[in-house]
Amino acid sequence: MTRRLLTAAALALAVGFPPAISAQTAEDAGEWRHGAALMGEPRYEPGFAHFDYVNPDAPEGGMVRLGTQGSFDNLNIIVAGVRGELAAGLGLVYETLMTDAMDEPSTMYGLIAEAIRFPDDYSSVTFRLDPDARWHDGAPITAADVIWSFETLKAANPLYQTYYANVVSAEETGEGEVTFGFDVTGNRELPKIMGQLLVLPKHWWTDPARAPDETMLEPPLGSGPYRLASFSPGRSVAYERVPDAWAVDHPTNVGKYNFDEVRYEYFRDATVLLEAFKADQVDFRSENVARNWATAYDFPARAEGEVVLESFPILSSGRMQAFVPNLRQERFQDARVRRALNLAFAFEDINRTIFFNAYERIDSFFEGTELASVGLPEGRELEILEEYRGRIPDSVFTEVYTNPENADPQAQRANLREADRLLREAGWVLEGGRRVNAETGEPFEIEFITFQPSHERYALPYGQALERLGIRLNVRVIDPAQYQNRLRSFDFDLTTVLWPQSLSPGNEQRDMWSSRAADLPGSQNYAGIRNPVVDELIERIVFAETRGELVAATRALDRVLLHNDYVVPQWFLGEQRTARWDRFSHPEIMPRYGAAAFPTIWWYDAEKAAQTGTAR
């Protein structure tokens, strides 16, 4: 189960639902619960005071300034990801039915919904709203708001059409109660998925002066810990804490949201953003460039103790980051071509010369978790894969997936010879030093798109290796808005994609790898994978009844994706590298699955700021 960016819905679009499974009686609907875990029971008992990883006595006040690259032209979270560029931090304005705990995986506790219940067959879920829940204008949050939010988000958004594919009805089934009906049974994740539903104020959005299916630059109404205070399109946006927000003392919020103001400053260029941090115009940043981490923070403020570098382990998710060829193009539909692209990638050289040996090569779509396939398949995983023998590569059963090693010139030459052989087999031959299609004479040229100039550092050396195969790689840096639009419409040859993965994968896998998602603009199936076996394995994951079955099915999916060479895996680092001006503090014990969790559980530390000379 993963968090998602909220995207478009056309309010005027009618939503047609097929019949749901027959409604449950009150006795069959399950007992009311204060929280829900995907597997097992929630850690915190009913009536808990606060999460263990927060400081309940954290002082409130101060401002934090964050930097982000790009621009924004939209304050309508409904159309995020479909139209315009959404302002950073807008989620601070809103709340969901339930909220995550950062010290236990796949567990949620009531927020707008004070309680949840669902039957043993998971055919529906009912939420009982907290009668104290209020919008910032004082109006109560109602069942009508919840139903409208669901229908609006699902109506036109590719992600939610896939994510909520099995959710076929939403109705008020009691005072302050909303029941979602499913067209399947046994999908354990669906109740928790609906708990993630972002709740929007129907009375505000249905005002005739507003169009929920269009971008806007009007501060929206919410119920969350912050409201939008000021903004300058494309330049900055600021949120102010709402001291009388209805949930300010809610157990899930105690010790959180301590800053009076959270401000985002926009920068067009990553280098300028870094310099702004060093000039104390930005308070905190995550550093994802190895060269910067190794060399860019050697400046007086750090030497004098005013700036702190700190890394936090990332234990909450796995990931696949890769060069992604667009399989919607015929040339990339041949697995031999895709393997040749991997053979040409000299990761070891790039890691040594550019990344200061900071990274390891990714060899799983669930890197960093127990879900990653290891060795040859065995046990329950092998049993699952045997059902698909003859429909998946034979190498799944006989070979451990490995990326090519290009640690020295001899290995690089050998891999390029193998790449040349595969390309020739696939019908791409050399003529005059250029790789061309043997039948049409079409030259093999690839456009690599990115919005980060820093990506040229690794893309250009990759292009040099491909040039030795007669393939021309044209690296094109475009602005973030254009990049997002091209990615949404799958208008690219090759790009870099990061797919984060939760510790309990489920319905979101459909959006990442399914055949249906390959044709949905805006989905996360950027590669364009269409494979019936992949589709079937995804459904095994979605309907897994035990943790063991979930792990086995996920490892089987991982193995099938890897052995089809759909992507060229890149690299990973299992920690979040951060830099900050030393005027903030965090709890002594950080949440296991929260990484830095900044600024959510941090606070402005006036005493520390005075000691380090960083007060403002």
Side-chain angles (χ1 to χ4, degrees):
M1 182 164 47
T2 59
R3 293 174 176 167
R4 300 289 167 211
L5 291 176
L6 295 164
T7 49
L11 179 60
L13 184 63
V15 181
F17 292 120
I21 287 173
S22 58
Q24 300 281 334
T25 65
E27 291 76 13
D28 295 332
E31 63 182 10
W32 288 110
R33 312 160 187 245
H34 71 296
L38 188 63
M39 302 285 179
E41 295 297 324
R43 170 180 178 178
Y44 295 93
E45 298 289 338
F48 71 95
H50 57 78
F51 291 132
D52 291 345
Y53 53 81
V54 302
N55 175 5
D57 301 315
E60 297 176 344
M63 175 180 70
V64 61
R65 303 163 302 170
L66 301 171
T68 188
Q69 188 178 349
S71 183
F72 77 92
D73 59 4
N74 178 33
L75 299 175
N76 180 1
I77 203 165
I78 297 172
V79 297
V82 174
R83 293 185 177 89
E85 293 299 317
L86 192 70
L90 199 61
L92 294 169
V93 174
Y94 298 102
E95 293 172 316
T96 50
L97 288 170
M98 305 184 76
T99 188
D100 293 321
M102 290 190 283
D103 57 352
E104 51 185 330
S106 303
T107 303
M108 307 181 78
Y109 294 88
L111 184 54
I112 288 178
E114 66 176 4
I116 178 178
R117 69 179 182 183
F118 44 85
D120 292 341
D121 65 357
Y122 301 95
S123 59
S124 67
V125 63
T126 300
F127 296 96
R128 187 177 70 213
L129 305 187
D130 191 317
D132 294 331
R134 294 288 187 277
W135 300 107
H136 291 157
D137 65 0
I141 300 176
T142 67
D145 293 319
V146 176
I147 295 169
W148 184 87
S149 300
F150 165 71
E151 292 179 344
T152 301
L153 290 167
K154 184 176 180 180
N157 182 281
L159 169 61
Y160 284 97
Q161 289 170 8
T162 302
Y163 204 45
Y164 295 153
N166 298 124
V167 187
V168 294
S169 67
E171 58 182 328
E172 186 172 4
T173 49
E175 184 176 356
E177 294 182 10
V178 178
T179 297
F180 296 98
F182 310 143
D183 64 358
V184 295
T185 58
N187 188 331
R188 304 170 63 93
E189 193 182 19
L190 285 175
K192 268 67 76 177
I193 283 177
M194 299 318 299
Q196 296 172 333
L197 179 69
L198 187 85
V199 183
L200 305 165
K202 178 180 179 181
H203 71 283
W204 192 87
W205 280 105
T206 53
D207 186 310
R210 300 187 178 94
D213 58 345
E214 299 293 339
T215 61
M216 72 173 189
L217 286 172
E218 177 186 3
L221 177 67
S223 64
Y226 290 86
R227 65 165 63 95
L228 199 151
S230 63
F231 66 94
S232 176
R235 300 181 63 183
S236 66
V237 58
Y239 303 91
E240 62 181 3
R241 191 164 57 87
V242 182
D244 60 349
W246 81 272
V248 67
D249 295 320
H250 194 277
T252 64
N253 282 340
V254 171
K256 297 164 62 178
Y257 311 118
N258 300 307
F259 295 99
D260 281 346
E261 181 177 348
V262 178
R263 185 177 186 87
Y264 291 85
E265 301 286 351
Y266 277 79
F267 300 86
R268 293 282 185 176
D269 182 82
T271 301
V272 177
L273 174 52
L274 174 59
E275 292 306 313
F277 170 80
K278 294 164 73 172
D280 197 9
Q281 297 174 18
V282 172
D283 292 312
F284 178 99
R285 64 183 265 115
S286 288
E287 183 54 74
N288 59 3
V289 177
R291 180 182 62 181
N292 288 346
W293 188 250
T295 65
Y297 295 94
D298 183 14
F299 65 109
R302 185 190 174 199
E304 295 167 8
E306 297 177 0
V307 168
V308 175
L309 304 189
E310 186 173 5
S311 295
F312 299 88
I314 299 175
L315 303 175
S316 60
S317 64
R319 79 287 294 169
M320 165 56 81
Q321 179 175 306
F323 289 111
V324 180
N326 189 345
L327 272 66
R328 298 166 188 86
Q329 299 180 13
E330 184 177 356
R331 57 184 174 164
F332 294 131
Q333 292 172 11
D334 193 311
R336 294 168 296 187
V337 171
R338 301 193 299 269
R339 184 62 179 179
L341 296 181
N342 198 351
L343 285 160
F345 180 47
F347 163 74
E348 293 81 2
D349 274 0
I350 292 173
N351 194 36
R352 182 180 67 254
T353 60
I354 297 175
F355 296 149
F356 296 83
N357 286 318
Y359 298 115
E360 296 179 45
R361 189 83 190 269
I362 285 180
D363 58 9
S364 170
F365 280 78
F366 301 86
E367 187 69 55
T369 74
E370 68 167 333
L371 304 163
S373 57
V374 179
L376 291 174
E378 59 183 21
R380 179 58 183 148
E381 180 193 353
L382 179 58
E383 292 176 3
I384 292 172
L385 289 168
E386 285 287 0
E387 297 181 29
Y388 304 104
R389 188 182 284 272
R391 300 172 61 196
I392 57 179
D394 292 338
S395 59
V396 165
F397 301 98
T398 60
E399 300 175 17
V400 177
Y401 176 85
T402 57
N403 287 300
E405 293 187 6
N406 281 300
D408 54 62
Q410 183 178 356
Q412 292 172 22
R413 287 192 295 270
N415 284 331
L416 288 175
R417 285 194 297 270
E418 175 63 9
D420 174 67
R421 183 187 69 80
L422 291 173
L423 289 166
R424 289 178 182 275
E425 281 187 6
W428 293 92
V429 298
L430 279 174
E431 287 187 3
R434 307 305 306 168
R435 187 72 56 174
V436 299
N437 187 283
E439 294 183 0
T440 67
E442 173 194 1
F444 203 133
E445 295 187 2
I446 303 172
E447 181 187 58
F448 173 81
I449 63 169
T450 179
F451 68 93
Q452 292 278 17
S454 63
H455 289 185
E456 291 180 307
R457 295 181 302 115
Y458 65 79
L460 291 175
Y462 185 35
Q464 292 170 359
L466 290 173
E467 188 72 30
R468 295 172 65 184
L469 290 172
I471 298 173
R472 178 170 297 165
L473 182 73
N474 300 310
V475 179
R476 185 178 179 190
V477 180
I478 57 182
D479 68 74
Q482 183 182 4
Y483 178 80
Q484 288 298 327
N485 287 333
R486 290 188 61 176
L487 207 60
R488 291 171 192 154
S489 61
F490 309 129
D491 179 20
F492 68 91
D493 297 343
L494 185 73
T495 191
T496 288
V497 171
L498 170 64
W499 285 285
Q501 295 284 0
S502 81
L503 301 181
S504 296
N507 291 261
E508 77 286 344
Q509 302 300 306
R510 293 168 172 163
D511 191 60
M512 294 177 178
W513 325 117
S514 75
S515 300
R516 179 176 182 273
D519 298 316
L520 282 175
S523 81
Q524 295 183 84
N525 189 350
Y526 304 110
I529 296 169
R530 295 182 179 88
N531 185 325
V533 173
V534 168
D535 295 340
E536 293 174 32
L537 288 171
I538 290 171
E539 296 309 297
R540 282 183 177 268
I541 292 170
V542 169
F543 291 98
E545 295 185 358
T546 66
R547 180 68 185 177
E549 185 70 14
L550 176 70
V551 171
T554 306
R555 288 178 177 175
L557 172 64
D558 183 35
R559 209 176 291 273
V560 171
L561 291 171
L562 288 170
H563 283 263
N564 275 285
D565 288 298
Y566 288 127
V567 301
V568 179
Q570 293 183 344
W571 50 83
F572 79 100
L573 180 71
E575 60 185 17
Q576 180 184 2
R577 299 174 297 208
T578 71
R580 68 180 184 272
W581 286 84
D582 197 16
R583 43 179 165 254
F584 308 102
S585 289
H586 61 70
E588 182 177 349
I589 299 176
M590 294 292 282
R592 176 174 175 81
Y593 302 111
F598 189 93
T600 307
I601 61 174
W602 295 58
W603 61 91
Y604 180 79
D605 191 325
E607 182 179 348
K608 179 184 290 185
Q611 292 174 349
T612 59
T614 59
R616 55 166 171 74

